[in-house]
Amino acid sequence: MNTFKRILCIALCFYMLNSPAYGFAETIEPLDESQIRTNIEEEYGIKIIYSLEDKNIDYMDCMLVLERSLRRFPEGVIKEITDYYTQKGIETNVVVNKTEKIADLFSEYVLGDKSATVYINALQNSLYNDECVASEESTVHELSHLISDYMYEIYGYERMKSDFLKFNSGFQYGSLEECSDAFLNKHSAMSFEDEVADLIWYTEVHPEYLRTLDCDEKEIIHKKIEYLAEAFDQCFESVSENTRLWMDAVPQEPDKWALDTIAQLKSASLIPEEFEGMYDAYITKEDFYTLVMNVVEKRLGADELEKSFNLYMQEEYVSIDPVKGEIFMNDGMAVPDSTLLCSNKEVLYKAYQMGFISHEGNGLEPDSYMTRLEAAKMFAYIAHEQGMDISDYEVINYNDINDVKESDKSFIYYVATKGILRGYGYSFNPDGYCTYQETYIMLMRLYNIL
């Protein structure tokens, strides 16, 4: 009888939602929690510890949050810290604890004589056998404390604090009644340690908030960010001036050569407001795809875009877990697992359908940058899909593309011939990153030839 009721319930769900029941026919392999854990431990030198009584709990969400949080920081930074601590006999850990109260979903960082540990609490949902974990923002904040403690050791605690007090014009930490615009918020004004961790946290998670501060006194905060970026450069071998660390958190002005083009793009509403002040920083792939989609859609129109590239957005549908027999909703977006690390899944889903992202989704971390070769391939593909002859190009003897695959050189020749993406004299710099203002120039040229 119970079996009959269950089947009837499932049938009613399908009937009422008028949605097909899709099986697990996806060819993309699901993420494996243990593999993610192993990758994190090997890449970052961190030991992940579960509570002994929690062996049967699935910590997939927890591992994804941790991986996204770690990838927020420049490549190599966390590993430099863990290697340094290892040499001093200090183990860097992430401890995952189970909690029964949703109020206890938080992260915490503790530095001791023998360990540097980030604690993450997870709440197990007994009904659906899944979990709720401390947020990515909370985890990034505690990792910011890990980074700042290391910087005090390498750069000098007293040196850094003295310089910050100069920025504060004599303001003493903890005097909340006198809290000024030299601080992000009251929490940052509590102590020097809180402020440094908060600034690192915000520059990684909310650079747009810092970039758009409109109060004159807030320029002090931008000076602090620039100071910390210089300190990062001195503390970490993996960070240099070429990293352009945190430039997206500080208001920028476009170079003179880009002023007219950027003005045209703005007047045509081709640059979304959230990109205001983004010029000389390197552009992430996610932002690059967002801008390209915006320009192409404005030029072709939504209907023509969908028709040209055979785009469609999947609607949510009912699906069944064949193992547990549970019903759940699926958004239908069959994208590579690496896109789970990005925030704008709809844009990336379109990019995936258009062929810009490979099946494996390599290099789609939120903060991975767009190279000039990748941009060339993307623009050539768009031109081809619009009926243009991408074999109509001149062979240009760039002296730095010998290592580029022969099949990819034609894309470079095409975009250079059409003036979409030019080289620097006899160099193309295929592995170099694109800046935001360089991308704006490319998009204006693409807009004009479509």
Side-chain angles (χ1 to χ4, degrees):
M1 186 66 178
N2 289 333
T3 302
F4 173 77
K5 288 181 177 179
R6 190 171 187 176
I7 295 173
L8 179 60
C9 179
I10 294 172
L12 287 173
C13 286
F14 293 148
Y15 175 77
M16 293 173 67
L17 291 172
N18 193 28
S19 301
Y22 291 86
F24 280 48
E26 306 232 352
T27 58
I28 301 173
E29 291 295 325
L31 287 168
D32 180 77
E33 175 262 329
S34 63
Q35 186 60 53
I36 295 176
R37 176 183 177 181
T38 300
N39 291 342
I40 290 174
E41 291 181 329
E42 292 178 353
E43 181 175 353
Y44 298 100
I46 293 173
K47 183 178 181 181
I48 299 175
I49 304 171
Y50 296 156
S51 296
L52 294 178
E53 66 270 19
D54 296 345
K55 291 182 178 179
N56 296 324
I57 295 178
D58 179 9
Y59 282 111
M60 170 65 80
D61 289 345
C62 194
M63 290 300 99
L64 287 174
V65 168
L66 178 58
E67 183 178 31
R68 287 197 300 265
S69 301
L70 290 165
R71 289 186 184 279
R72 285 283 186 178
F73 300 101
E75 183 179 358
V77 162
I78 301 297
K79 189 62 166 61
E80 284 192 51
I81 296 174
T82 59
D83 286 346
Y84 175 81
Y85 282 153
T86 297
Q87 293 174 3
K88 298 187 66 175
I90 298 175
E91 191 175 67
T92 307
N93 305 315
V94 171
V95 177
V96 183
N97 289 318
K98 184 178 70 172
T99 180
E100 302 296 336
K101 299 178 181 179
I102 195 167
D104 291 336
L105 288 179
F106 64 89
S107 297
E108 182 182 12
Y109 168 70
V110 177
L111 176 61
D113 294 335
K114 295 296 182 181
S115 65
T117 305
V118 175
Y119 293 91
I120 302 177
N121 287 350
L123 174 68
Q124 189 68 20
N125 186 325
S126 59
L127 180 59
Y128 296 106
N129 199 33
D130 58 6
E131 60 175 350
C132 298
V133 299
S135 69
E136 180 180 339
E137 290 211 13
S138 175
T139 305
V140 171
H141 187 263
E142 300 312 318
L143 289 171
S144 297
H145 276 290
L146 169 71
I147 291 172
S148 59
D149 278 351
Y150 172 81
M151 292 181 67
Y152 302 149
E153 178 82 11
I154 303 301
Y155 193 80
Y157 177 86
E158 293 299 334
R159 174 188 177 187
M160 187 177 291
K161 184 174 181 179
S162 175
D163 290 338
F164 263 68
L165 287 173
K166 293 176 183 177
F167 284 125
N168 297 345
S169 300
F171 174 84
Q172 297 299 314
Y173 289 102
S175 302
L176 298 183
E177 66 277 3
E178 300 177 6
C179 185
S180 71
D181 285 334
F183 300 93
L184 283 171
N185 47 45
K186 289 186 176 181
H187 181 267
S188 293
M190 288 289 292
S191 70
F192 165 67
E193 294 85 351
D194 286 328
E195 180 176 26
V196 173
D198 284 354
L199 285 172
I200 295 174
W201 168 41
Y202 262 81
T203 52
E204 294 294 350
V205 179
H206 296 296
E208 72 287 349
Y209 171 80
L210 298 172
R211 188 176 65 251
T212 56
L213 293 173
D214 55 6
C215 183
D216 291 339
E217 288 79 3
K218 292 295 186 181
E219 292 180 0
I220 297 174
I221 294 177
H222 298 141
K223 292 178 181 178
K224 292 177 179 178
I225 294 171
E226 291 172 340
Y227 174 92
L228 283 175
E230 293 177 3
F232 251 70
D233 186 10
Q234 296 184 42
C235 291
F236 297 98
E237 293 183 1
S238 52
V239 175
S240 68
E241 291 184 2
N242 291 332
T243 306
R244 304 193 182 194
L245 182 67
W246 299 337
M247 290 191 67
D248 54 348
V250 179
Q252 304 160 27
E253 293 295 331
D255 291 333
K256 290 183 179 180
W257 54 265
L259 284 172
D260 291 341
T261 300
I262 291 173
Q264 294 176 41
L265 286 166
K266 286 183 177 180
S267 64
S269 300
L270 295 176
I271 301 180
E273 290 184 4
E274 62 264 29
F275 291 94
E276 184 64 36
M278 299 280 278
Y279 300 111
D280 206 32
Y282 291 132
I283 189 168
T284 64
K285 291 182 179 180
E286 186 172 357
D287 283 353
F288 190 92
Y289 293 138
T290 299
L291 285 167
V292 169
M293 292 298 181
N294 186 56
V295 167
V296 174
E297 186 167 340
K298 284 286 180 67
R299 186 61 165 172
L300 302 181
D303 293 340
E304 182 61 29
L305 176 68
E306 293 178 6
K307 180 181 178 181
S308 297
F309 294 94
N310 194 29
L311 300 182
Y312 61 93
M313 295 304 296
Q314 287 276 14
E315 297 181 357
E316 289 188 341
Y317 57 79
V318 173
S319 191
I320 303 175
D321 185 325
V323 177
K324 299 178 182 178
E326 296 174 350
I327 299 174
F328 62 92
M329 296 300 295
N330 192 318
D331 62 11
M333 294 186 183
V335 294
D337 286 328
S338 56
T339 60
L340 294 174
L341 300 175
C342 302
S343 57
N344 198 337
K345 189 176 179 182
E346 183 174 326
V347 168
L348 294 175
Y349 181 51
K350 287 183 178 180
Y352 179 62
Q353 290 187 82
M354 294 170 74
F356 303 152
I357 302 174
S358 68
H359 182 77
E360 293 79 13
N362 294 328
L364 268 179
E365 294 81 4
D367 295 325
S368 60
Y369 299 124
M370 197 74 179
T371 67
R372 288 169 56 84
L373 175 58
E374 290 169 331
K377 293 168 69 174
M378 186 171 187
F379 291 136
Y381 180 77
I382 292 173
H384 177 265
E385 291 301 304
Q386 289 303 297
M388 302 178 192
D389 182 7
I390 62 173
S391 64
D392 179 19
Y393 57 75
E394 297 179 8
V395 175
I396 303 173
N397 295 320
Y398 290 122
N399 58 19
D400 59 353
I401 63 172
N402 291 332
D403 294 334
V404 175
K405 292 190 301 184
E406 288 299 322
S407 57
D408 289 345
K409 289 180 181 178
S410 60
F411 301 128
I412 293 175
Y413 299 147
Y414 178 77
V415 297
T417 300
K418 298 302 178 182
I420 300 174
L421 179 53
R422 301 187 178 98
Y424 308 101
Y426 293 103
S427 300
F428 186 79
N429 192 19
D431 296 323
Y433 297 132
C434 305
T435 65
Y436 281 84
Q437 64 182 349
E438 287 171 341
T439 301
Y440 300 148
I441 301 297
M442 299 177 209
L443 293 176
M444 189 76 253
R445 294 168 179 166
L446 175 68
Y447 183 85
N448 289 332
I449 70 170
L450 285 178

